[in-house]
């Protein structure tokens, strides 16, 4: 094995160890995160830090979440191979790429056209054919494709958005950060029951706020 291959294998091992040490223990999630290289999703100055467990800036003033948070949110979503998933906040596309290895189909929306275009380019390059990326106001979900088995929101709302709750199947799960944008938020798992909604508080997090409308580039 070459030195470069050794270094790559070592880096991947450390990456997975960091995920496990932060509580990502689901075997399917870890396998997906091992297969999807975070490197291509981070461009420019910060690309060398792609394998560190930290959030990093991307275009349009957004961020790519730290891998352990991506892993914990994905784990909390309990995705099965038959699920249709909606992601609100495409960002770099990293979260959607991981979901694509776990679900039947992933719809991902972002208010920034540039982010959707960049992410689509990466999805095509990785041959991830079950992702549909759209420029849209994610706070309203995707009514044309509803209902969804799973919904994941990668921006913080003050409360779980009503339109998204309405687009969740009975028995479906939504994972969403909730709280004021200038304070520590809480990651919530919402399960839709026949009789209403059940809420589980998972952990403190910090995300960019969920903003209505399209970005200026969109």
């Amino acid at each position: 094995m070459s030195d470069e291959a050794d270094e790559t294998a070592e880096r991947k091992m450390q990456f997975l160890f960091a995920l496990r040490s932060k509580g990502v223990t689901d075997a399917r999630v870890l396998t997906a995160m091992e297969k999807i290289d975070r490197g291509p999703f981070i461009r420019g100055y910060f690309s060398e830090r792609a394998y560190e467990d930290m959030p990093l800036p991307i275009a349009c003033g957004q961020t790519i979440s730290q891998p352990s948070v991506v892993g914990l949110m994905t784990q909390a979503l309990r995705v099965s191979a038959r699920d249709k998933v909606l992601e609100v906040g495409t960002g770099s596309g990293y979260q959607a790429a991981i979901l694509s290895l776990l679900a039947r189909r992933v719809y991902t929306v972002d208010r920034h056209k540039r982010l959707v275009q960049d992410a689509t380019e990466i999805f095509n390059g990785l041959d991830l054919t079950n992702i549909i990326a759209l420029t849209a106001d994610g706070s309203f979900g995707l009514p044309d494709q509803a209902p969804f088995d799973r919904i994941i929101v990668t921006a913080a709302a003050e409360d779980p958005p009503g339109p998204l709750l309405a687009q969740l199947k009975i028995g479906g799960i939504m994972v969403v950060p909730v709280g004021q944008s200038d304070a520590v938020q809480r990651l919530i798992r919402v399960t839709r029951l026949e009789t209403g909604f059940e809420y589980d508080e998972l952990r403190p997090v910090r995300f960019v706020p969920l903003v209505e409308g399209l970005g200026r580039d969109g």
Side-chain angles (χ1 to χ4, degrees), residues 33-121:
M33 295 188 75
E34 184 177 6
K35 286 180 180 172
I36 299 293
D37 187 346
R38 192 176 182 234
F41 296 91
I42 301 165
R43 301 179 180 189
Y45 178 73
F46 290 99
S47 58
E48 290 179 7
R49 309 189 76 172
Y51 305 99
E52 296 178 29
D53 191 34
M54 62 188 298
L56 294 168
I58 57 170
C60 303
Q62 304 301 297
T63 57
I64 179 172
S65 298
Q66 65 195 81
S68 60
V69 171
V70 171
L72 289 165
M73 288 182 77
T74 307
Q75 184 170 277
L77 207 57
R78 298 172 178 166
V79 181
S80 82
R82 297 177 62 184
D83 286 345
K84 181 168 74 170
V85 181
L86 171 64
E87 178 194 32
V88 175
T90 307
S92 68
Y94 179 60
Q95 174 75 76
I98 288 162
L99 289 167
S100 76
L101 299 188
L102 301 170
R104 178 171 57 87
R105 186 166 294 270
V106 177
Y107 289 87
T108 180
V109 299
D110 202 288
R111 58 193 293 270
H112 294 287
K113 187 176 182 181
R114 178 184 167 186
L115 294 180
V116 171
Q117 288 173 334
D118 288 351
T120 299
E121 203 176 286

Coordinates of all heavy atoms in Angstrom, one line a residue, residues 33-121:
M33 N -21.6 7.0 5.8 CA -20.7 8.1 6.1 C -19.2 7.7 5.7 O -18.4 8.5 5.4 CB -20.8 8.6 7.5 CG -22.1 9.2 7.8 SD -22.3 10.1 9.4 CE -21.3 11.6 9.1
E34 N -18.9 6.4 5.7 CA -17.6 5.9 5.3 C -17.5 6.0 3.8 O -16.5 6.3 3.2 CB -17.4 4.5 5.8 CG -16.0 3.9 5.4 CD -15.8 2.5 6.0 OE1 -16.8 1.9 6.5 OE2 -14.7 2.0 5.8
K35 N -18.7 5.7 3.1 CA -18.7 5.7 1.6 C -18.7 7.1 1.0 O -18.1 7.3 -0.1 CB -19.9 4.9 1.1 CG -19.8 3.4 1.3 CD -21.0 2.7 0.8 CE -20.9 1.2 1.0 NZ -22.1 0.5 0.7
I36 N -19.4 8.0 1.7 CA -19.5 9.4 1.1 C -18.4 10.2 1.6 O -18.3 10.6 2.8 CB -20.9 10.0 1.4 CG1 -22.0 9.2 0.8 CG2 -20.9 11.5 1.0 CD1 -22.1 9.2 -0.7
D37 N -17.4 10.6 0.8 CA -16.3 11.4 1.2 C -16.7 12.8 1.3 O -17.3 13.4 0.4 CB -15.2 11.3 0.0 CG -13.9 11.9 0.4 OD1 -13.9 12.7 1.3 OD2 -12.9 11.7 -0.3
R38 N -16.4 13.4 2.5 CA -16.9 14.8 2.7 C -16.0 15.8 1.9 O -16.5 16.9 1.7 CB -16.7 15.1 4.2 CG -17.4 16.4 4.7 CD -17.2 16.5 6.2 NE -17.9 17.7 6.8 CZ -17.3 18.6 7.6 NH1 -16.0 18.5 7.9 NH2 -18.0 19.6 8.1
G39 N -14.9 15.4 1.4 CA -13.9 16.3 0.7 C -14.5 17.0 -0.4 O -14.4 18.3 -0.5
P40 N -15.2 16.4 -1.4 CA -15.7 17.1 -2.6 C -16.8 18.1 -2.2 O -17.1 19.0 -3.1 CB -16.4 16.0 -3.4 CG -15.7 14.7 -2.9 CD -15.4 14.9 -1.5
F41 N -17.4 18.1 -1.0 CA -18.4 19.0 -0.7 C -17.9 20.3 -0.1 O -18.7 21.2 0.2 CB -19.4 18.3 0.3 CG -20.1 17.2 -0.2 CD1 -19.6 15.9 -0.1 CD2 -21.3 17.3 -0.9 CE1 -20.2 14.8 -0.7 CE2 -22.0 16.2 -1.5 CZ -21.4 14.9 -1.4
I42 N -16.6 20.4 0.1 CA -16.0 21.6 0.7 C -14.9 22.1 -0.3 O -14.0 21.4 -0.7 CB -15.3 21.3 2.0 CG1 -16.4 20.8 3.0 CG2 -14.7 22.6 2.6 CD1 -15.8 20.2 4.2
R43 N -15.1 23.3 -0.8 CA -14.2 23.9 -1.8 C -13.4 25.0 -1.3 O -13.7 25.6 -0.3 CB -15.0 24.4 -3.0 CG -15.9 23.2 -3.6 CD -16.7 23.7 -4.8 NE -17.5 22.6 -5.3 CZ -18.2 22.6 -6.4 NH1 -18.2 23.7 -7.1 NH2 -18.9 21.6 -6.8
G44 N -12.2 25.2 -1.9 CA -11.4 26.4 -1.6 C -10.6 26.2 -0.3 O -10.1 25.1 0.0
Y45 N -10.5 27.3 0.4 CA -9.5 27.4 1.5 C -9.7 26.4 2.6 O -8.8 25.9 3.2 CB -9.7 28.8 2.2 CG -8.8 29.1 3.4 CD1 -7.5 29.3 3.2 CD2 -9.4 29.1 4.6 CE1 -6.7 29.5 4.3 CE2 -8.6 29.3 5.8 CZ -7.2 29.5 5.6 OH -6.4 29.8 6.7
F46 N -11.0 25.9 2.9 CA -11.2 25.0 4.0 C -11.2 23.6 3.6 O -11.4 22.7 4.4 CB -12.6 25.4 4.6 CG -12.6 26.7 5.4 CD1 -13.1 27.8 4.8 CD2 -12.1 26.7 6.6 CE1 -13.1 29.0 5.5 CE2 -12.0 27.9 7.3 CZ -12.5 29.1 6.7
S47 N -10.9 23.3 2.3 CA -11.0 21.9 1.8 C -10.0 20.9 2.6 O -10.3 19.8 2.8 CB -10.7 21.8 0.3 OG -9.4 22.3 0.0
E48 N -8.9 21.5 3.1 CA -8.0 20.6 3.8 C -8.5 20.2 5.2 O -8.0 19.3 5.8 CB -6.7 21.4 4.1 CG -5.8 21.6 2.8 CD -4.6 22.4 3.1 OE1 -4.3 22.7 4.3 OE2 -3.9 22.8 2.1
R49 N -9.6 20.9 5.6 CA -10.1 20.5 7.0 C -11.4 19.7 6.9 O -12.1 19.5 7.8 CB -10.4 21.8 7.7 CG -9.2 22.8 7.7 CD -9.4 23.9 8.7 NE -9.3 23.5 10.0 CZ -9.2 24.4 11.1 NH1 -9.3 25.7 10.8 NH2 -9.1 24.0 12.3
A50 N -11.6 19.1 5.7 CA -12.8 18.3 5.4 C -13.0 17.2 6.4 O -14.2 16.7 6.6 CB -12.8 17.8 4.0
Y51 N -12.0 16.6 6.9 CA -12.1 15.4 7.7 C -12.1 15.7 9.2 O -12.0 14.8 10.0 CB -11.0 14.4 7.3 CG -11.1 14.1 5.9 CD1 -10.3 14.8 5.0 CD2 -12.1 13.3 5.3 CE1 -10.4 14.6 3.6 CE2 -12.3 13.1 4.0 CZ -11.4 13.8 3.1 OH -11.6 13.6 1.8
E52 N -12.1 17.0 9.6 CA -12.2 17.3 11.0 C -13.7 17.4 11.4 O -14.5 17.8 10.6 CB -11.5 18.7 11.2 CG -10.0 18.6 10.9 CD -9.3 20.0 11.1 OE1 -9.8 20.8 11.9 OE2 -8.3 20.2 10.4
D53 N -13.9 17.1 12.6 CA -15.3 17.2 13.1 C -15.7 18.6 13.5 O -15.8 18.9 14.7 CB -15.5 16.2 14.3 CG -17.0 16.0 14.6 OD1 -17.8 16.0 13.7 OD2 -17.3 15.9 15.8
M54 N -15.9 19.4 12.5 CA -16.2 20.8 12.8 C -17.1 21.3 11.6 O -16.9 20.9 10.5 CB -15.0 21.7 12.9 CG -14.1 21.7 11.7 SD -12.5 22.5 12.0 CE -13.1 24.2 12.4
P55 N -18.0 22.3 11.9 CA -18.7 22.9 10.8 C -17.7 23.8 10.0 O -16.8 24.4 10.6 CB -19.8 23.8 11.5 CG -19.2 24.0 12.9 CD -18.3 22.9 13.2
L56 N -18.0 24.0 8.7 CA -17.1 24.8 7.9 C -18.0 25.7 7.0 O -19.1 25.3 6.6 CB -16.2 23.9 7.0 CG -15.2 23.1 7.7 CD1 -14.6 22.1 6.8 CD2 -14.1 24.0 8.3
P57 N -17.5 26.9 6.6 CA -18.3 27.8 5.7 C -18.3 27.3 4.3 O -17.3 26.7 3.8 CB -17.5 29.1 5.8 CG -16.2 28.8 6.4 CD -16.3 27.5 7.1
I58 N -19.5 27.5 3.6 CA -19.6 27.2 2.2 C -20.2 28.4 1.6 O -20.3 29.5 2.2 CB -20.5 25.9 2.0 CG1 -21.9 26.1 2.6 CG2 -19.8 24.7 2.5 CD1 -22.9 25.1 2.2
A59 N -20.5 28.4 0.3 CA -21.0 29.5 -0.4 C -22.3 30.0 0.1 O -23.0 29.4 0.9 CB -21.2 29.1 -1.9
C60 N -22.7 31.3 -0.3 CA -24.0 31.9 0.1 C -24.1 32.1 1.6 O -25.3 32.2 2.1 CB -25.1 31.1 -0.5 SG -25.1 30.8 -2.3
G61 N -23.0 32.2 2.3 CA -23.1 32.5 3.7 C -23.6 31.3 4.6 O -24.0 31.5 5.7
Q62 N -23.6 30.1 4.0 CA -24.1 29.0 4.7 C -22.9 28.1 5.3 O -21.8 28.5 5.1 CB -24.9 28.1 3.8 CG -26.1 28.8 3.1 CD -27.1 29.4 4.1 OE1 -27.7 28.7 4.9 NE2 -27.2 30.8 4.1
T63 N -23.3 27.1 6.0 CA -22.2 26.2 6.5 C -22.5 24.7 6.2 O -23.7 24.4 6.0 CB -22.1 26.3 8.1 OG1 -23.4 26.0 8.7 CG2 -21.7 27.7 8.5
I64 N -21.5 23.9 6.2 CA -21.7 22.5 6.2 C -21.5 22.0 7.6 O -20.6 22.4 8.3 CB -20.6 21.8 5.3 CG1 -20.8 20.3 5.3 CG2 -19.2 22.2 5.6 CD1 -19.9 19.5 4.2
S65 N -22.5 21.3 8.1 CA -22.5 20.9 9.5 C -21.3 19.9 9.8 O -20.8 19.3 8.9 CB -23.8 20.1 9.9 OG -24.9 20.9 9.7
Q66 N -20.9 19.9 11.1 CA -19.9 19.0 11.5 C -20.4 17.5 11.3 O -21.6 17.2 11.5 CB -19.4 19.2 12.9 CG -20.4 19.0 14.0 CD -19.9 19.6 15.3 OE1 -20.1 20.8 15.5 NE2 -19.3 18.8 16.2
P67 N -19.5 16.6 10.9 CA -19.9 15.3 10.6 C -20.7 14.5 11.7 O -21.6 13.8 11.4 CB -18.6 14.6 10.3 CG -17.7 15.6 9.8 CD -18.1 16.9 10.6
S68 N -20.3 14.8 13.0 CA -20.9 14.1 14.1 C -22.4 14.5 14.2 O -23.3 13.7 14.5 CB -20.2 14.3 15.4 OG -20.2 15.7 15.7
V69 N -22.7 15.8 13.9 CA -24.1 16.3 13.9 C -24.9 15.7 12.8 O -26.0 15.3 12.9 CB -24.1 17.8 13.9 CG1 -25.5 18.3 13.7 CG2 -23.5 18.3 15.2
V70 N -24.2 15.6 11.6 CA -24.9 15.0 10.4 C -25.2 13.5 10.8 O -26.3 13.0 10.5 CB -23.9 15.0 9.2 CG1 -24.5 14.2 8.0 CG2 -23.8 16.5 8.7
G71 N -24.2 12.8 11.4 CA -24.5 11.4 11.8 C -25.6 11.3 12.8 O -26.4 10.4 12.6
L72 N -25.6 12.1 13.8 CA -26.6 12.0 14.9 C -28.0 12.3 14.3 O -29.0 11.7 14.7 CB -26.2 12.9 16.0 CG -25.0 12.5 16.9 CD1 -24.5 13.6 17.8 CD2 -25.4 11.2 17.7
M73 N -28.1 13.3 13.4 CA -29.4 13.7 12.8 C -29.9 12.6 12.0 O -31.1 12.2 12.0 CB -29.3 15.0 12.1 CG -29.1 16.2 12.9 SD -29.1 17.8 12.0 CE -30.8 18.0 11.5
T74 N -29.0 12.0 11.2 CA -29.3 10.9 10.3 C -29.8 9.7 11.1 O -30.8 9.0 10.8 CB -28.1 10.5 9.4 OG1 -27.7 11.7 8.7 CG2 -28.5 9.5 8.3
Q75 N -29.1 9.4 12.2 CA -29.4 8.3 13.1 C -30.8 8.5 13.7 O -31.6 7.6 13.8 CB -28.3 8.2 14.1 CG -28.4 7.1 15.1 CD -27.1 7.0 15.9 OE1 -26.2 6.4 15.5 NE2 -27.1 7.6 17.1
A76 N -31.0 9.7 14.1 CA -32.3 10.0 14.8 C -33.5 9.9 13.8 O -34.6 9.7 14.2 CB -32.3 11.5 15.3
L77 N -33.2 10.0 12.5 CA -34.3 10.0 11.5 C -34.8 8.6 11.2 O -35.9 8.4 10.8 CB -33.7 10.6 10.2 CG -34.7 11.2 9.2 CD1 -35.5 12.3 9.9 CD2 -33.9 11.7 8.0
R78 N -33.9 7.6 11.6 CA -34.3 6.1 11.5 C -34.8 5.8 10.0 O -35.9 5.3 9.9 CB -35.4 5.8 12.5 CG -34.9 5.9 13.9 CD -36.0 5.8 14.9 NE -35.6 5.9 16.3 CZ -36.4 6.0 17.4 NH1 -37.7 6.1 17.2 NH2 -35.9 6.1 18.6
V79 N -34.0 6.1 9.1 CA -34.4 5.9 7.7 C -34.3 4.5 7.3 O -33.4 3.8 7.6 CB -33.4 6.7 6.7 CG1 -33.8 6.6 5.3 CG2 -33.4 8.2 7.1
S80 N -35.3 4.0 6.6 CA -35.3 2.7 6.0 C -35.2 2.7 4.5 O -35.4 3.8 3.9 CB -36.6 1.9 6.4 OG -37.6 2.2 5.5
A81 N -34.8 1.6 3.9 CA -34.5 1.5 2.5 C -35.7 1.9 1.6 O -35.5 2.2 0.4 CB -33.9 0.1 2.1
R82 N -36.9 1.8 2.1 CA -38.1 2.1 1.3 C -38.6 3.5 1.5 O -39.6 3.9 0.9 CB -39.2 1.1 1.7 CG -38.9 -0.3 1.4 CD -39.9 -1.3 1.9 NE -41.2 -1.0 1.2 CZ -42.3 -1.7 1.5 NH1 -42.4 -2.6 2.5 NH2 -43.4 -1.4 0.8
D83 N -37.9 4.3 2.3 CA -38.4 5.7 2.6 C -38.2 6.7 1.5 O -37.2 6.7 0.9 CB -37.8 6.2 3.9 CG -38.3 5.5 5.2 OD1 -39.4 4.8 5.1 OD2 -37.7 5.6 6.2
K84 N -39.2 7.6 1.5 CA -39.0 8.8 0.6 C -38.8 10.0 1.6 O -39.6 10.2 2.5 CB -40.3 9.1 -0.1 CG -40.3 10.3 -1.0 CD -41.4 10.4 -2.0 CE -42.7 10.8 -1.3 NZ -43.8 11.1 -2.3
V85 N -37.6 10.6 1.4 CA -37.2 11.6 2.4 C -37.2 13.0 1.8 O -36.8 13.2 0.6 CB -35.7 11.3 2.9 CG1 -35.2 12.3 3.9 CG2 -35.7 9.9 3.4
L86 N -37.6 14.0 2.6 CA -37.4 15.4 2.2 C -36.4 16.1 3.1 O -36.4 16.0 4.3 CB -38.7 16.2 2.4 CG -38.7 17.7 2.2 CD1 -38.3 18.1 0.8 CD2 -40.0 18.4 2.6
E87 N -35.4 16.7 2.5 CA -34.4 17.5 3.2 C -34.6 19.0 2.9 O -34.7 19.4 1.7 CB -33.0 17.1 2.8 CG -32.0 18.0 3.6 CD -30.5 17.9 3.0 OE1 -30.4 17.7 1.8 OE2 -29.6 18.1 3.8
V88 N -34.8 19.8 3.9 CA -34.9 21.2 3.8 C -33.6 21.9 4.1 O -33.2 21.8 5.3 CB -36.1 21.8 4.7 CG1 -36.1 23.3 4.6 CG2 -37.4 21.1 4.3
G89 N -32.9 22.4 3.1 CA -31.6 23.0 3.3 C -30.5 22.1 2.7 O -29.8 21.5 3.4
T90 N -30.4 22.2 1.4 CA -29.4 21.3 0.7 C -28.0 21.7 1.1 O -27.2 20.8 1.3 CB -29.5 21.5 -0.9 OG1 -30.9 21.3 -1.3 CG2 -28.6 20.6 -1.6
G91 N -27.7 23.0 1.2 CA -26.4 23.4 1.6 C -25.3 22.8 0.6 O -25.5 23.0 -0.6
S92 N -24.4 22.1 1.2 CA -23.3 21.6 0.4 C -23.7 20.3 -0.4 O -23.1 19.9 -1.4 CB -22.1 21.2 1.3 OG -22.5 20.1 2.1
G93 N -24.8 19.7 0.1 CA -25.3 18.4 -0.5 C -24.8 17.2 0.3 O -25.2 16.1 0.0
Y94 N -23.9 17.4 1.3 CA -23.4 16.3 2.0 C -24.4 15.4 2.7 O -24.4 14.2 2.6 CB -22.3 16.8 3.0 CG -21.6 15.8 3.8 CD1 -20.9 14.8 3.3 CD2 -21.7 15.9 5.2 CE1 -20.2 13.8 4.1 CE2 -21.0 14.9 6.0 CZ -20.3 13.9 5.4 OH -19.6 13.0 6.2
Q95 N -25.3 16.1 3.4 CA -26.4 15.3 4.1 C -27.2 14.5 3.2 O -27.6 13.4 3.4 CB -27.2 16.3 4.9 CG -28.4 15.7 5.6 CD -28.1 14.9 6.9 OE1 -27.8 15.4 7.9 NE2 -28.1 13.6 6.7
A96 N -27.6 15.1 2.1 CA -28.5 14.5 1.1 C -27.8 13.2 0.5 O -28.4 12.2 0.2 CB -28.9 15.4 0.0
A97 N -26.5 13.4 0.2 CA -25.7 12.3 -0.3 C -25.7 11.1 0.6 O -25.9 9.9 0.2 CB -24.3 12.7 -0.6
I98 N -25.5 11.3 1.9 CA -25.6 10.2 2.9 C -27.0 9.6 2.9 O -27.1 8.4 2.9 CB -25.1 10.8 4.3 CG1 -23.6 11.0 4.3 CG2 -25.5 9.8 5.4 CD1 -23.1 11.9 5.3
L99 N -28.0 10.4 3.0 CA -29.4 9.9 3.0 C -29.7 9.1 1.7 O -30.4 8.1 1.8 CB -30.4 11.1 3.1 CG -30.4 11.8 4.4 CD1 -31.2 13.1 4.2 CD2 -31.0 11.0 5.5
S100 N -29.0 9.4 0.6 CA -29.3 8.7 -0.6 C -28.9 7.2 -0.6 O -29.4 6.4 -1.3 CB -28.6 9.4 -1.8 OG -27.3 9.1 -1.8
L101 N -27.9 6.9 0.3 CA -27.5 5.5 0.4 C -28.4 4.8 1.4 O -28.3 3.5 1.5 CB -26.0 5.5 1.0 CG -25.0 6.1 0.1 CD1 -23.6 5.8 0.6 CD2 -25.1 5.7 -1.4
L102 N -29.3 5.5 2.1 CA -30.1 4.9 3.1 C -31.6 4.8 2.7 O -32.3 3.9 3.2 CB -30.0 5.7 4.4 CG -28.6 5.8 5.0 CD1 -28.6 6.8 6.2 CD2 -28.1 4.5 5.5
A103 N -32.0 5.7 1.8 CA -33.4 5.8 1.5 C -33.7 5.4 0.0 O -32.8 5.3 -0.8 CB -33.9 7.2 1.7
R104 N -35.0 5.3 -0.3 CA -35.4 5.0 -1.7 C -35.2 6.2 -2.6 O -34.7 6.1 -3.7 CB -36.8 4.5 -1.7 CG -37.4 4.2 -3.1 CD -38.8 3.6 -3.0 NE -39.7 4.4 -2.3 CZ -40.5 5.3 -2.8 NH1 -40.4 5.6 -4.1 NH2 -41.4 6.0 -2.1
R105 N -35.6 7.4 -2.1 CA -35.5 8.6 -2.8 C -35.4 9.8 -1.9 O -36.0 9.8 -0.8 CB -36.8 8.8 -3.7 CG -36.7 10.0 -4.6 CD -37.8 9.9 -5.7 NE -37.6 8.8 -6.6 CZ -37.0 8.8 -7.7 NH1 -36.3 9.9 -8.1 NH2 -36.9 7.8 -8.5
V106 N -34.6 10.7 -2.3 CA -34.3 11.9 -1.5 C -34.7 13.2 -2.3 O -34.1 13.4 -3.4 CB -32.9 12.0 -1.0 CG1 -32.6 13.3 -0.2 CG2 -32.5 10.8 -0.2
Y107 N -35.6 14.0 -1.8 CA -35.9 15.3 -2.4 C -35.2 16.3 -1.4 O -35.3 16.3 -0.2 CB -37.4 15.6 -2.4 CG -38.1 14.8 -3.4 CD1 -38.6 13.5 -3.1 CD2 -38.3 15.3 -4.7 CE1 -39.3 12.7 -4.0 CE2 -39.0 14.5 -5.6 CZ -39.5 13.2 -5.3 OH -40.2 12.5 -6.2
T108 N -34.3 17.2 -2.0 CA -33.7 18.2 -1.2 C -33.9 19.5 -1.8 O -33.8 19.7 -3.1 CB -32.1 17.9 -1.1 OG1 -31.5 18.9 -0.3 CG2 -31.4 17.8 -2.4
V109 N -34.2 20.5 -1.0 CA -34.5 21.9 -1.5 C -33.7 22.9 -0.8 O -33.4 22.7 0.4 CB -36.0 22.2 -1.3 CG1 -36.9 21.3 -2.1 CG2 -36.5 22.2 0.1
D110 N -33.3 23.9 -1.5 CA -32.6 25.0 -0.9 C -33.1 26.3 -1.5 O -33.5 26.3 -2.7 CB -31.1 24.9 -1.1 CG -30.3 25.7 -0.1 OD1 -30.2 26.9 -0.2 OD2 -29.7 25.0 0.9
R111 N -33.0 27.4 -0.8 CA -33.4 28.7 -1.3 C -32.4 29.4 -2.2 O -32.6 30.4 -2.9 CB -33.9 29.7 -0.2 CG -32.8 29.9 0.9 CD -33.3 30.6 2.1 NE -33.8 31.9 1.8 CZ -33.1 33.0 1.9 NH1 -31.8 32.9 2.3 NH2 -33.6 34.2 1.6
H112 N -31.2 28.8 -2.2 CA -30.0 29.4 -3.0 C -29.8 28.5 -4.2 O -29.4 27.4 -4.1 CB -28.8 29.4 -2.1 CG -28.8 30.4 -1.0 ND1 -28.8 31.8 -1.2 CD2 -29.0 30.2 0.3 CE1 -28.9 32.4 0.0 NE2 -29.0 31.4 0.9
K113 N -30.1 29.1 -5.4 CA -29.9 28.4 -6.6 C -28.5 27.8 -6.8 O -28.2 26.7 -7.3 CB -30.3 29.3 -7.8 CG -30.3 28.6 -9.1 CD -30.8 29.7 -10.2 CE -30.9 29.1 -11.5 NZ -31.4 30.1 -12.5
R114 N -27.5 28.7 -6.4 CA -26.1 28.3 -6.6 C -25.8 27.0 -5.9 O -25.1 26.1 -6.4 CB -25.2 29.4 -6.2 CG -23.7 29.1 -6.3 CD -22.8 30.2 -5.8 NE -21.5 29.6 -5.7 CZ -20.5 30.3 -5.1 NH1 -20.7 31.6 -4.7 NH2 -19.3 29.8 -5.0
L115 N -26.3 26.9 -4.6 CA -26.0 25.7 -3.8 C -26.6 24.5 -4.4 O -26.0 23.4 -4.5 CB -26.5 25.9 -2.4 CG -25.8 27.0 -1.5 CD1 -26.4 27.1 -0.1 CD2 -24.3 26.7 -1.4
V116 N -27.8 24.6 -4.9 CA -28.5 23.5 -5.6 C -27.7 23.0 -6.8 O -27.5 21.8 -7.1 CB -29.9 23.8 -6.0 CG1 -30.6 22.8 -6.8 CG2 -30.8 24.1 -4.7
Q117 N -27.2 24.0 -7.6 CA -26.5 23.7 -8.8 C -25.1 23.0 -8.5 O -24.8 22.0 -9.1 CB -26.2 24.9 -9.6 CG -27.4 25.5 -10.3 CD -27.2 26.8 -11.0 OE1 -26.3 27.6 -10.6 NE2 -28.0 27.2 -12.0
D118 N -24.4 23.5 -7.5 CA -23.2 22.9 -7.1 C -23.4 21.5 -6.5 O -22.6 20.6 -6.8 CB -22.5 23.8 -6.0 CG -21.9 25.1 -6.6 OD1 -21.9 25.2 -7.8 OD2 -21.5 25.9 -5.7
A119 N -24.4 21.3 -5.7 CA -24.7 20.0 -5.1 C -25.1 19.0 -6.2 O -24.6 17.9 -6.2 CB -25.8 20.1 -4.1
T120 N -25.9 19.4 -7.1 CA -26.3 18.6 -8.2 C -25.1 18.1 -9.0 O -25.1 16.9 -9.4 CB -27.3 19.3 -9.1 OG1 -28.5 19.7 -8.4 CG2 -27.8 18.4 -10.3
E121 N -24.2 18.9 -9.2 CA -22.9 18.6 -9.9 C -22.2 17.4 -9.2 O -21.7 16.5 -9.8 CB -22.0 19.8 -10.0 CG -21.0 19.8 -11.1 CD -20.3 21.2 -11.2 OE1 -20.9 22.2 -11.6 OE2 -19.1 21.2 -10.7

